[in-house]
């Protein structure tokens, strides 16, 4: 089948940039939310180029020093990553993008229910805080995630892997309530059972907790459960980011920043494609 002019234009764009690079529509979603550049000092590198480098790193999983040479020096990208991490800007960006994505799905901007789960991942020789998850036989850290009923992230936290799910529930739901006080209900799995832990979580957040249990204990492996599969799907989306296949970071703060970057990338792409399909 011969190529048309549309095919040629499409593949010229693919050859001209990496698949992780931002389009102009995607940049328009994020750029107003980024901190303004400093007034003094030399002219900073364009934020779009820095973001393209960060999104390349998180999708491909390469180390800082292996960043391709058509990006700025890795030290420049690294310094901006640390500055944005310490400013807490990614949590704010995710909150804004989630509200936009919910409205694009013809829903209220603020959710009223969340689904909670965790994911244990191994750490590497980079060191830093870590623990052993005896249930999943993983030495490393644990990602705690609260998503709305369509799988969009509301709050994410990272602890050492030895922190039990039920012990992490109270601080997670407390943060959810602080971000979105309209949330009144949460769905969790059997790992969050325990009257004392659930009572502490409710007192901290005023969010009711419903445990969704498996009805057939003879079934092994993954099964689709009501109100539970959406968070599993979100964890599957996160697994597309190769840098998150393990926790390579020496600090929990950097690990959380990379997780937030991956979530922001997914939301940005989702919103940009939804708006393009409407036009």
């Amino acid at each position: 089948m011969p190529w048309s002019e549309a095919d040629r234009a499409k593949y010229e764009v693919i050859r001209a940039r990496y698949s992780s690079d931002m389009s102009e529509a995607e940049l328009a979603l994020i750029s107003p939310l980024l901190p303004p550049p400093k007034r003094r000092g030399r002219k900073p590198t364009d934020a779009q180029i820095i973001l393209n480098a960060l999104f390349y790193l998180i999708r491909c999983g390469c180390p800082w020093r292996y960043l391709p040479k058509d990006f700025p020096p890795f030290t420049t990208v690294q310094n901006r990553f640390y500055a944005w991490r310490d400013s807490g800007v990614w949590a704010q960006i995710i909150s804004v993008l989630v509200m936009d994505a919910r409205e694009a799905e013809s829903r209220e901007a603020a959710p009223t229910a969340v689904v909670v789960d965790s994911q244990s991942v191994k750490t590497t020789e980079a060191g830093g805080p870590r623990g052993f998850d005896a249930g999943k036989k993983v030495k490393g850290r644990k990602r705690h995630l609260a998503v709305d009923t369509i799988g969009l992230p509301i709050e994410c936290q990272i602890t050492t892997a030895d922190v039990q799910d039920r012990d992490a529930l109270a601080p997670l739901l407390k943060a959810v309530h602080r971000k979105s006080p309209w949330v009144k209900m949460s769905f969790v799995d059997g790992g969050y059972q325990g009257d004392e832990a659930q009572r502490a979580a409710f007192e901290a957040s005023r969010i009711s907790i419903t445990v969704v249990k498996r009805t057939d204990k003879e079934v092994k492996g993954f099964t689709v459960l009501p109100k539970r599969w959406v968070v599993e799907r979100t964890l599957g989306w996160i697994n597309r980011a190769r840098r998150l296949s393990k926790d390579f970071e020496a600090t929990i703060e950097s690990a959380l920043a990379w997780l937030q970057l991956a979530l922001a990338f997914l939301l940005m792409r989702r919103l940009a494609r939804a708006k393009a399909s409407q036009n």
Side-chain angles (χ1 to χ4, degrees):
M1 180 178 177
W3 277 23
S4 64
E5 291 302 320
D7 292 330
R8 294 183 186 278
K10 174 183 176 182
Y11 282 94
E12 283 297 329
V13 171
I14 292 175
R15 283 195 289 266
R17 64 186 183 95
Y18 296 106
S19 298
S20 57
D21 284 359
M22 306 171 68
S23 65
E24 293 302 321
E26 293 167 351
L27 177 64
L29 293 170
I30 288 185
S31 58
L33 306 173
L34 294 172
K38 295 180 180 179
R39 295 183 178 181
R40 297 184 177 182
R42 60 184 179 182
K43 184 178 179 180
T45 306
D46 184 21
Q48 182 178 6
I49 301 175
I50 299 294
L51 288 169
N52 286 340
L54 291 174
F55 291 147
Y56 178 90
L57 285 167
I58 200 165
R59 286 292 280 126
C60 297
C62 66
W64 285 110
R65 294 177 183 274
Y66 283 68
L67 189 67
K69 299 303 181 184
D70 47 355
F71 289 118
F74 81 90
T75 51
T76 301
V77 180
Q78 194 176 46
N79 290 336
R80 192 76 67 90
F81 168 78
Y82 290 141
W84 285 341
R85 178 200 69 182
D86 296 339
S87 70
V89 67
W90 290 112
Q92 300 172 20
I93 288 175
I94 289 173
S95 297
V96 173
L97 294 180
V98 165
M99 288 190 290
D100 291 345
R102 286 182 58 85
E103 290 177 341
E105 296 283 342
S106 301
R107 293 171 178 261
E108 294 291 335
T112 58
V114 294
V115 188
V116 177
D117 202 2
S118 67
Q119 180 189 54
S120 296
V121 291
K122 295 180 180 179
T123 49
T124 66
E125 69 281 355
R130 68 185 72 188
F132 183 71
D133 184 348
K136 297 181 180 178
K137 304 295 188 293
V138 171
K139 183 178 181 181
R141 296 180 186 140
K142 187 176 288 188
R143 299 166 182 156
H144 305 274
L145 203 64
V147 304
D148 66 5
T149 52
I150 55 175
L152 305 180
I154 305 301
E155 174 63 17
C156 52
Q157 296 179 355
I158 294 181
T159 65
T160 55
D162 57 342
V163 174
Q164 297 292 323
D165 288 351
R166 58 179 177 267
D167 295 331
L169 185 60
L172 184 67
L173 291 185
K174 183 178 180 180
V176 169
H177 177 71
R178 187 169 58 249
K179 278 187 177 180
S180 186
W182 296 273
V183 174
K184 300 300 180 185
M185 184 179 298
S186 64
F187 298 93
V188 300
D189 64 14
Y192 295 87
Q193 291 187 96
D195 294 339
E196 185 176 345
Q198 292 185 16
R199 187 183 305 110
F202 179 77
E203 291 176 353
S205 63
R206 296 300 168 184
I207 298 175
S208 64
I209 300 161
T210 301
V211 179
V212 181
K213 299 180 180 179
R214 295 178 62 157
T215 56
D216 188 354
K217 295 184 178 180
E218 294 181 359
V219 177
K220 296 183 179 180
F222 174 77
T223 57
V224 177
L225 297 176
K227 303 293 185 183
R228 289 282 311 134
W229 64 272
V230 290
V231 67
E232 302 290 350
R233 183 182 61 180
T234 305
L235 292 173
W237 292 340
I238 292 173
N239 290 337
R240 296 175 184 173
R242 293 193 175 186
R243 194 177 181 101
L244 301 183
S245 60
K246 285 186 178 182
D247 194 329
F248 294 95
E249 309 309 313
T251 65
I252 287 181
E253 291 77 14
S254 290
L256 179 60
W258 282 115
L259 176 59
Q260 292 170 334
L261 264 166
L263 293 171
F265 180 80
L266 292 170
L267 290 166
M268 178 190 68
R269 282 278 159 97
R270 176 177 181 144
L271 270 172
R273 289 172 180 172
K275 291 183 178 181
S277 63
Q278 293 174 359
N279 298 332

